[in-house]
Amino acid sequence: MAERMLKFVGTSQAMPDKRPAAERRRDFDEIYSNYAREKAAEQAARCSQCGVPFCQIHCPLQNNIPDWLKLTAEGRLEEAYELSSATNNFPEICGRICPQDRLCEGNCVIEKGFDAVTIGSVEKFITDTAWSQGWVKPIRPRRERPESVGIIGAGPAGLAAAEQLRRKGYQVAVYDRYDRVGGLMIYGIPNFKLEKDIVQRREKLLRDSKVAFHLGCEIGRDVSMEELRQRHGAVLIATGVYKARDIQAPGVGLPGIAAALDYLTAANRSGLGDAVPGIESGALYAEGKNVVVVGGGDTAMDCVRTAVRQGAKSVKCLYRRDRANMPGSQREVKHAEEEGVEFVWLSAPQAFLGKDHVSHVRTVRIHLGMPDASGRQTPQEIPNSHVNIEADLVLKALGFDPENLPEALATPDLGVTSWGTLDIDWRSMMTSVDGVFAAGDIVRGASLVVWAVRDGRDAAERIHSYLTTKALNAQRIAAE
């Protein structure tokens, strides 16, 4: 091992080739190329194989990162893929969209002074190679179980749970109100971060594994929750959170002001070949416009970088804190700056100006005061510091809240927290309704895809325990 690993002293960090900003501004293709096999092995060999791998500890999935880095360095890619996919249902997706600078790579012990191992890029390379070599196979359970599980939501949590349950032999049906599988992975994340065929091949794999999908099916409207409970031995709610947070400011209802997800969904649907009224009318299209995005998370970064590619006249990101306190990936901020996005730090919208359409955002400068209960400095407005920023299209990217699910699902017995998320027993992951479980953003609030995958996997285990216990109790009662 010593001969192949510990190369970080003599080998510098090298990401896969990144296309020049001037070139990538013109299309929605992914910005990084793939590693060559030799380069992936070289970068994997930089791993120090530390005894307490902080990269693994800080990964929500507890991925066996040092182990598959070692296998990659040794050229044992099929084994590396098997190890990587043992803990992660979508390694090639996480390798593309996870904020590695905040998770695994940000906690790499060699980062200080030597730059982190490029974990995400190697993870992507391993699984893309596995797909191209035909190593990724449909699931064939050792034995089929009679029990079935209904999953509401075809996003990352629902799909991860579906795969894990199918591996155990359960009959799995996934219900989603949208017309495609993938949730935010298909409609919320732009192609330059995650090309849609990457998601669609996962869908095909699950279909080939005999997972049934019922698309365009809204629970509470097309099928009742009670009917779903009668069809299935257990039900998992993994709907995610889609309700956009709004801005309380004068003029917020003016035409030309839109929610970030509406804008991103329109762009992604257009890229998939759909006819989108908001694109055709220009209402949700940035070409030739002065675009202002309000917010500082990864959704805001997706918006500004999409607007650049649509040919916006100018793109500004308005954020009330400074760069160091930005919740989005610093890597994404750097990409956006390279592509021509202007960041207006320590600035917040106070009003939206215009008669029949937004024309300016009235902003106020912000000073960061003392930390609040969460430890973050409190934004405070600086008097008489107003600046008007020209805007033809304003996108609100302030995060997401859950819908009123007891009402939407016509299931008033579903318990919710003060945050509006579903209230579950964290040991069993069951809601207040027997046999109905919940996982992902609808439980923890808007979060990362990798956390949704983790929750989906955990929920699958709890559902398995519930159904096997139920079957054993039925056998015992029958025997008596």
mmCIF file of all heavy atoms in Angstrom, residues 78-107:
data_model
loop_
_atom_site.group_PDB
_atom_site.id
_atom_site.type_symbol
_atom_site.label_atom_id
_atom_site.label_comp_id
_atom_site.label_asym_id
_atom_site.label_seq_id
_atom_site.Cartn_x
_atom_site.Cartn_y
_atom_site.Cartn_z
ATOM 1 N N GLU A 78 -13.576 -2.283 -10.661
ATOM 2 C CA GLU A 78 -14.844 -2.966 -10.429
ATOM 3 C C GLU A 78 -15.067 -3.172 -8.930
ATOM 4 O O GLU A 78 -16.183 -3.001 -8.429
ATOM 5 C CB GLU A 78 -14.900 -4.299 -11.173
ATOM 6 C CG GLU A 78 -16.281 -4.940 -11.110
ATOM 7 C CD GLU A 78 -16.445 -6.114 -12.058
ATOM 8 O OE1 GLU A 78 -15.475 -6.478 -12.767
ATOM 9 O OE2 GLU A 78 -17.553 -6.684 -12.085
ATOM 10 N N GLU A 79 -14.012 -3.509 -8.221
ATOM 11 C CA GLU A 79 -14.121 -3.643 -6.770
ATOM 12 C C GLU A 79 -14.404 -2.288 -6.124
ATOM 13 O O GLU A 79 -15.178 -2.191 -5.161
ATOM 14 C CB GLU A 79 -12.833 -4.239 -6.199
ATOM 15 C CG GLU A 79 -12.570 -5.678 -6.612
ATOM 16 C CD GLU A 79 -11.170 -6.117 -6.231
ATOM 17 O OE1 GLU A 79 -10.985 -6.489 -5.055
ATOM 18 O OE2 GLU A 79 -10.261 -6.086 -7.096
ATOM 19 N N ALA A 80 -13.765 -1.246 -6.651
ATOM 20 C CA ALA A 80 -14.007 0.114 -6.131
ATOM 21 C C ALA A 80 -15.467 0.488 -6.308
ATOM 22 O O ALA A 80 -16.093 1.065 -5.403
ATOM 23 C CB ALA A 80 -13.108 1.114 -6.848
ATOM 24 N N TYR A 81 -16.038 0.143 -7.461
ATOM 25 C CA TYR A 81 -17.460 0.429 -7.707
ATOM 26 C C TYR A 81 -18.343 -0.347 -6.735
ATOM 27 O O TYR A 81 -19.298 0.206 -6.167
ATOM 28 C CB TYR A 81 -17.844 0.085 -9.156
ATOM 29 C CG TYR A 81 -19.332 -0.076 -9.317
ATOM 30 C CD1 TYR A 81 -20.171 1.023 -9.216
ATOM 31 C CD2 TYR A 81 -19.898 -1.341 -9.486
ATOM 32 C CE1 TYR A 81 -21.552 0.875 -9.304
ATOM 33 C CE2 TYR A 81 -21.273 -1.495 -9.575
ATOM 34 C CZ TYR A 81 -22.092 -0.384 -9.486
ATOM 35 O OH TYR A 81 -23.451 -0.536 -9.568
ATOM 36 N N GLU A 82 -18.056 -1.626 -6.533
ATOM 37 C CA GLU A 82 -18.872 -2.436 -5.621
ATOM 38 C C GLU A 82 -18.858 -1.842 -4.216
ATOM 39 O O GLU A 82 -19.883 -1.805 -3.526
ATOM 40 C CB GLU A 82 -18.354 -3.878 -5.587
ATOM 41 C CG GLU A 82 -18.535 -4.641 -6.892
ATOM 42 C CD GLU A 82 -19.981 -4.982 -7.197
ATOM 43 O OE1 GLU A 82 -20.820 -4.866 -6.272
ATOM 44 O OE2 GLU A 82 -20.274 -5.355 -8.350
ATOM 45 N N LEU A 83 -17.699 -1.372 -3.785
ATOM 46 C CA LEU A 83 -17.574 -0.796 -2.444
ATOM 47 C C LEU A 83 -18.285 0.552 -2.360
ATOM 48 O O LEU A 83 -18.954 0.856 -1.373
ATOM 49 C CB LEU A 83 -16.096 -0.648 -2.095
ATOM 50 C CG LEU A 83 -15.743 -0.490 -0.614
ATOM 51 C CD1 LEU A 83 -16.250 -1.687 0.185
ATOM 52 C CD2 LEU A 83 -14.242 -0.351 -0.450
ATOM 53 N N SER A 84 -18.134 1.352 -3.400
ATOM 54 C CA SER A 84 -18.770 2.668 -3.426
ATOM 55 C C SER A 84 -20.289 2.540 -3.425
ATOM 56 O O SER A 84 -20.986 3.241 -2.689
ATOM 57 C CB SER A 84 -18.307 3.444 -4.665
ATOM 58 O OG SER A 84 -19.028 4.635 -4.817
ATOM 59 N N SER A 85 -20.816 1.621 -4.239
ATOM 60 C CA SER A 85 -22.266 1.476 -4.364
ATOM 61 C C SER A 85 -22.882 0.716 -3.191
ATOM 62 O O SER A 85 -24.104 0.682 -3.051
ATOM 63 C CB SER A 85 -22.620 0.777 -5.677
ATOM 64 O OG SER A 85 -22.046 -0.517 -5.731
ATOM 65 N N ALA A 86 -22.053 0.116 -2.346
ATOM 66 C CA ALA A 86 -22.579 -0.607 -1.184
ATOM 67 C C ALA A 86 -23.213 0.336 -0.169
ATOM 68 O O ALA A 86 -24.114 -0.065 0.578
ATOM 69 C CB ALA A 86 -21.467 -1.418 -0.517
ATOM 70 N N THR A 87 -22.765 1.582 -0.127
ATOM 71 C CA THR A 87 -23.293 2.544 0.854
ATOM 72 C C THR A 87 -24.031 3.707 0.203
ATOM 73 O O THR A 87 -24.608 4.537 0.907
ATOM 74 C CB THR A 87 -22.144 3.116 1.714
ATOM 75 O OG1 THR A 87 -21.146 3.676 0.847
ATOM 76 C CG2 THR A 87 -21.525 2.045 2.592
ATOM 77 N N ASN A 88 -24.002 3.791 -1.122
ATOM 78 C CA ASN A 88 -24.585 4.940 -1.817
ATOM 79 C C ASN A 88 -25.353 4.444 -3.038
ATOM 80 O O ASN A 88 -24.799 3.759 -3.893
ATOM 81 C CB ASN A 88 -23.475 5.906 -2.247
ATOM 82 C CG ASN A 88 -24.015 7.225 -2.773
ATOM 83 O OD1 ASN A 88 -25.210 7.398 -2.991
ATOM 84 N ND2 ASN A 88 -23.121 8.173 -2.985
ATOM 85 N N ASN A 89 -26.628 4.805 -3.127
ATOM 86 C CA ASN A 89 -27.449 4.368 -4.260
ATOM 87 C C ASN A 89 -27.160 5.158 -5.531
ATOM 88 O O ASN A 89 -27.427 4.680 -6.628
ATOM 89 C CB ASN A 89 -28.927 4.495 -3.907
ATOM 90 C CG ASN A 89 -29.305 3.650 -2.712
ATOM 91 O OD1 ASN A 89 -29.101 4.056 -1.575
ATOM 92 N ND2 ASN A 89 -29.821 2.457 -2.952
ATOM 93 N N PHE A 90 -26.620 6.366 -5.377
ATOM 94 C CA PHE A 90 -26.362 7.221 -6.542
ATOM 95 C C PHE A 90 -24.977 7.861 -6.467
ATOM 96 O O PHE A 90 -24.848 9.093 -6.423
ATOM 97 C CB PHE A 90 -27.418 8.334 -6.637
ATOM 98 C CG PHE A 90 -28.822 7.873 -6.398
ATOM 99 C CD1 PHE A 90 -29.579 8.419 -5.372
ATOM 100 C CD2 PHE A 90 -29.398 6.892 -7.186
ATOM 101 C CE1 PHE A 90 -30.872 8.000 -5.140
ATOM 102 C CE2 PHE A 90 -30.696 6.464 -6.966
ATOM 103 C CZ PHE A 90 -31.438 7.014 -5.939
ATOM 104 N N PRO A 91 -23.898 7.054 -6.456
ATOM 105 C CA PRO A 91 -22.566 7.654 -6.299
ATOM 106 C C PRO A 91 -22.193 8.606 -7.421
ATOM 107 O O PRO A 91 -21.508 9.616 -7.185
ATOM 108 C CB PRO A 91 -21.629 6.440 -6.243
ATOM 109 C CG PRO A 91 -22.410 5.290 -6.781
ATOM 110 C CD PRO A 91 -23.845 5.582 -6.495
ATOM 111 N N GLU A 92 -22.625 8.309 -8.661
ATOM 112 C CA GLU A 92 -22.264 9.197 -9.771
ATOM 113 C C GLU A 92 -23.008 10.535 -9.687
ATOM 114 O O GLU A 92 -22.533 11.561 -10.190
ATOM 115 C CB GLU A 92 -22.538 8.513 -11.123
ATOM 116 C CG GLU A 92 -23.987 8.426 -11.545
ATOM 117 C CD GLU A 92 -24.791 7.329 -10.863
ATOM 118 O OE1 GLU A 92 -24.380 6.809 -9.806
ATOM 119 O OE2 GLU A 92 -25.858 6.987 -11.396
ATOM 120 N N ILE A 93 -24.177 10.534 -9.024
ATOM 121 C CA ILE A 93 -24.922 11.782 -8.828
ATOM 122 C C ILE A 93 -24.311 12.584 -7.684
ATOM 123 O O ILE A 93 -24.068 13.781 -7.804
ATOM 124 C CB ILE A 93 -26.413 11.478 -8.586
ATOM 125 C CG1 ILE A 93 -27.030 10.895 -9.869
ATOM 126 C CG2 ILE A 93 -27.165 12.725 -8.140
ATOM 127 C CD1 ILE A 93 -28.461 10.422 -9.719
ATOM 128 N N CYS A 94 -24.033 11.916 -6.570
ATOM 129 C CA CYS A 94 -23.388 12.607 -5.443
ATOM 130 C C CYS A 94 -22.011 13.129 -5.838
ATOM 131 O O CYS A 94 -21.592 14.209 -5.402
ATOM 132 C CB CYS A 94 -23.279 11.673 -4.244
ATOM 133 S SG CYS A 94 -24.887 11.284 -3.487
ATOM 134 N N GLY A 95 -21.288 12.378 -6.661
ATOM 135 C CA GLY A 95 -19.980 12.833 -7.128
ATOM 136 C C GLY A 95 -20.062 14.115 -7.923
ATOM 137 O O GLY A 95 -19.100 14.896 -7.981
ATOM 138 N N ARG A 96 -21.238 14.376 -8.524
ATOM 139 C CA ARG A 96 -21.426 15.585 -9.319
ATOM 140 C C ARG A 96 -21.976 16.755 -8.512
ATOM 141 O O ARG A 96 -21.572 17.898 -8.733
ATOM 142 C CB ARG A 96 -22.384 15.291 -10.480
ATOM 143 C CG ARG A 96 -21.765 14.498 -11.613
ATOM 144 C CD ARG A 96 -22.825 14.031 -12.615
ATOM 145 N NE ARG A 96 -22.227 13.602 -13.871
ATOM 146 C CZ ARG A 96 -21.742 12.389 -14.106
ATOM 147 N NH1 ARG A 96 -21.793 11.470 -13.151
ATOM 148 N NH2 ARG A 96 -21.229 12.089 -15.287
ATOM 149 N N ILE A 97 -22.928 16.507 -7.609
ATOM 150 C CA ILE A 97 -23.660 17.626 -7.015
ATOM 151 C C ILE A 97 -23.439 17.815 -5.521
ATOM 152 O O ILE A 97 -23.853 18.839 -4.979
ATOM 153 C CB ILE A 97 -25.174 17.496 -7.277
ATOM 154 C CG1 ILE A 97 -25.760 16.254 -6.587
ATOM 155 C CG2 ILE A 97 -25.464 17.479 -8.779
ATOM 156 C CD1 ILE A 97 -27.270 16.155 -6.707
ATOM 157 N N CYS A 98 -22.803 16.874 -4.831
ATOM 158 C CA CYS A 98 -22.532 17.081 -3.410
ATOM 159 C C CYS A 98 -21.581 18.265 -3.220
ATOM 160 O O CYS A 98 -20.643 18.431 -3.998
ATOM 161 C CB CYS A 98 -21.892 15.833 -2.794
ATOM 162 S SG CYS A 98 -23.046 14.708 -2.029
ATOM 163 N N PRO A 99 -21.782 19.066 -2.178
ATOM 164 C CA PRO A 99 -20.813 20.120 -1.862
ATOM 165 C C PRO A 99 -19.611 19.508 -1.138
ATOM 166 O O PRO A 99 -19.476 19.626 0.085
ATOM 167 C CB PRO A 99 -21.611 21.070 -0.965
ATOM 168 C CG PRO A 99 -22.607 20.179 -0.296
ATOM 169 C CD PRO A 99 -22.943 19.081 -1.263
ATOM 170 N N GLN A 100 -18.742 18.851 -1.903
ATOM 171 C CA GLN A 100 -17.617 18.148 -1.272
ATOM 172 C C GLN A 100 -16.736 19.085 -0.451
ATOM 173 O O GLN A 100 -16.115 18.675 0.528
ATOM 174 C CB GLN A 100 -16.764 17.446 -2.332
ATOM 175 C CG GLN A 100 -17.412 16.218 -2.944
ATOM 176 C CD GLN A 100 -18.102 16.519 -4.251
ATOM 177 O OE1 GLN A 100 -17.982 17.624 -4.768
ATOM 178 N NE2 GLN A 100 -18.813 15.554 -4.807
ATOM 179 N N ASP A 101 -16.693 20.371 -0.860
ATOM 180 C CA ASP A 101 -15.863 21.316 -0.111
ATOM 181 C C ASP A 101 -16.379 21.544 1.296
ATOM 182 O O ASP A 101 -15.634 22.019 2.163
ATOM 183 C CB ASP A 101 -15.749 22.647 -0.864
ATOM 184 C CG ASP A 101 -17.100 23.252 -1.215
ATOM 185 O OD1 ASP A 101 -18.094 22.508 -1.274
ATOM 186 O OD2 ASP A 101 -17.163 24.474 -1.440
ATOM 187 N N ARG A 102 -17.670 21.204 1.554
ATOM 188 C CA ARG A 102 -18.222 21.329 2.903
ATOM 189 C C ARG A 102 -18.283 19.995 3.620
ATOM 190 O O ARG A 102 -18.445 19.954 4.838
ATOM 191 C CB ARG A 102 -19.643 21.911 2.846
ATOM 192 C CG ARG A 102 -19.730 23.282 2.227
ATOM 193 C CD ARG A 102 -20.937 24.074 2.698
ATOM 194 N NE ARG A 102 -22.168 23.334 2.845
ATOM 195 C CZ ARG A 102 -23.174 23.395 1.972
ATOM 196 N NH1 ARG A 102 -23.076 24.120 0.889
ATOM 197 N NH2 ARG A 102 -24.282 22.723 2.200
ATOM 198 N N LEU A 103 -18.164 18.885 2.881
ATOM 199 C CA LEU A 103 -18.317 17.551 3.480
ATOM 200 C C LEU A 103 -16.990 16.797 3.450
ATOM 201 O O LEU A 103 -16.078 17.117 4.193
ATOM 202 C CB LEU A 103 -19.431 16.800 2.760
ATOM 203 C CG LEU A 103 -20.828 17.431 2.848
ATOM 204 C CD1 LEU A 103 -21.814 16.696 1.967
ATOM 205 C CD2 LEU A 103 -21.325 17.454 4.282
ATOM 206 N N CYS A 104 -16.881 15.789 2.578
ATOM 207 C CA CYS A 104 -15.711 14.896 2.614
ATOM 208 C C CYS A 104 -14.396 15.626 2.343
ATOM 209 O O CYS A 104 -13.449 15.548 3.137
ATOM 210 C CB CYS A 104 -15.901 13.747 1.626
ATOM 211 S SG CYS A 104 -16.313 14.260 -0.054
ATOM 212 N N GLU A 105 -14.318 16.351 1.215
ATOM 213 C CA GLU A 105 -13.051 16.998 0.857
ATOM 214 C C GLU A 105 -12.698 18.114 1.836
ATOM 215 O O GLU A 105 -11.522 18.348 2.134
ATOM 216 C CB GLU A 105 -13.124 17.541 -0.571
ATOM 217 C CG GLU A 105 -13.221 16.441 -1.620
ATOM 218 C CD GLU A 105 -13.321 16.986 -3.036
ATOM 219 O OE1 GLU A 105 -12.968 18.161 -3.260
ATOM 220 O OE2 GLU A 105 -13.769 16.238 -3.931
ATOM 221 N N GLY A 106 -13.720 18.797 2.335
ATOM 222 C CA GLY A 106 -13.476 19.866 3.304
ATOM 223 C C GLY A 106 -12.933 19.360 4.619
ATOM 224 O O GLY A 106 -12.419 20.140 5.425
ATOM 225 N N ASN A 107 -13.045 18.042 4.874
ATOM 226 C CA ASN A 107 -12.537 17.454 6.120
ATOM 227 C C ASN A 107 -11.377 16.496 5.882
ATOM 228 O O ASN A 107 -10.976 15.768 6.788
ATOM 229 C CB ASN A 107 -13.672 16.744 6.847
ATOM 230 C CG ASN A 107 -14.697 17.712 7.392
ATOM 231 O OD1 ASN A 107 -14.481 18.325 8.433
ATOM 232 N ND2 ASN A 107 -15.809 17.880 6.697
#
